[in-house]
Amino acid sequence: MPRLFLIFIISVFSVSAFAQTDSTNNVAADYKTDSLNNIYGKHKHLLKEYELPSLIALSYFPELIDESIKFKFSSINSTARTTVTFFSVFKNTHKQYIIYINANKEKTGMLLSQAPFDAQVALIAHELAHVIDFKNRSFLGMAWWGTGYLFVKHRTKIEKRADETVIKRRLGLQLYHWADFVLNHSTANKHYLKMKETKYLLPDEILMYMKKHNK
């Protein structure tokens, strides 16, 4: 699928998402998953349930085409989490990445499958932003990242930087929909809501960042 056509479809889809979630599902059905998979699915192990939003998110990170990324269900205290395999920590390039998607609703009070389609794209793009961050880090760089993530202030900086990366990749409106859904329309529990409110960009902050950087 030509890049410009893909961006056009995403733009139209994003505007319609403000109105009804069902309409976004209709647009999603029009995508040619096989075509996207042929381009962006190389070296990727995708979850069937999130295959299309994953491929669309991957299309905004073309530098990851040759990277090995495996999506897996897990029981975690967030909607998704990105890591590298043990031996990959010691590699400077061609690491192997795992993106875990939460499958235990009791952990967060909600599942990604409950979110609108474009919000799913944004969440996966956020995780891919972490992959970009890991991509060229040395062992010491990965160790520094892991140590810093243990501290709330540094963790917040990491997560907001990933959100900013998503906006810079022209998925700001989708990210807005994700943040708005979690905070205002989801069944997320108090712990998850607090984490979302304090460690990630809020909907108004996303719009402000988009306006400031003309994204």
Side-chain angles (χ1 to χ4, degrees):
M1 181 181 292
R3 180 70 172 172
L4 290 177
F5 179 70
L6 179 63
I7 294 174
F8 171 76
I9 291 294
I10 283 289
S11 299
V12 173
F13 164 72
S14 300
V15 173
S16 65
F18 275 115
Q20 294 290 337
T21 299
D22 290 342
S23 66
T24 63
N25 292 331
N26 291 334
V27 174
D30 293 334
Y31 280 101
K32 302 299 183 182
T33 305
D34 289 343
S35 298
L36 289 172
N37 198 36
N38 288 336
I39 301 172
Y40 303 108
K42 293 186 296 182
H43 312 296
K44 310 297 185 295
H45 185 280
L46 305 174
L47 294 170
K48 192 65 178 177
E49 293 85 342
Y50 301 109
E51 182 178 23
L52 184 53
S54 297
L55 288 169
I56 292 174
L58 282 163
S59 73
Y60 284 84
F61 295 84
E63 65 268 54
L64 298 180
I65 283 181
D66 294 322
E67 300 296 328
S68 175
I69 303 175
K70 185 174 186 178
F71 291 77
K72 295 178 65 175
F73 283 121
S74 187
S75 179
I76 53 178
N77 291 317
S78 60
T79 308
R81 180 177 299 159
T82 300
T83 186
V84 297
T85 61
F86 176 76
F87 291 107
S88 290
V89 174
F90 304 98
K91 294 182 178 181
N92 290 339
T93 59
H94 300 297
K95 298 180 179 70
Q96 293 180 315
Y97 307 93
I98 302 176
I99 296 178
Y100 293 104
I101 304 293
N102 182 42
N104 185 349
K105 189 176 180 179
E106 293 183 2
K107 290 287 187 178
T108 59
M110 57 162 282
L111 296 175
L112 181 60
S113 59
Q114 297 174 280
F117 182 84
D118 61 335
Q120 294 179 20
V121 172
L123 182 277
I124 294 170
H126 175 95
E127 298 306 316
L128 294 176
H130 287 311
V131 174
I132 292 294
D133 191 13
F134 295 155
K135 188 173 182 291
N136 294 314
R137 284 183 180 269
S138 64
F139 170 73
L140 290 177
M142 290 298 299
W144 173 256
W145 189 98
T147 301
Y149 202 78
L150 297 175
F151 299 92
V152 174
K153 185 176 180 179
H154 193 68
R155 186 188 311 171
T156 300
K157 185 182 295 185
I158 288 172
E159 296 299 351
K160 289 191 175 184
R161 185 171 66 229
D163 276 348
E164 290 170 0
T165 297
V166 174
I167 298 171
K168 291 175 181 176
R169 296 301 173 109
R170 302 287 179 178
L171 288 171
L173 193 56
Q174 288 79 2
L175 186 66
Y176 171 86
H177 291 158
W178 166 245
D180 179 64
F181 168 76
V182 173
L183 294 174
N184 301 315
H185 307 288
S186 76
T187 58
N189 58 37
K190 291 182 180 179
H191 173 76
Y192 187 70
L193 287 174
K194 183 177 180 180
M195 181 178 68
K196 187 66 178 174
E197 289 171 347
T198 58
K199 297 181 177 64
Y200 299 81
L201 293 179
L202 298 174
D204 288 348
E205 292 175 323
I206 293 170
L207 293 178
M208 288 177 62
Y209 191 95
M210 291 172 63
K211 183 177 181 180
K212 181 179 179 180
H213 297 275
N214 194 28
K215 296 296 183 182

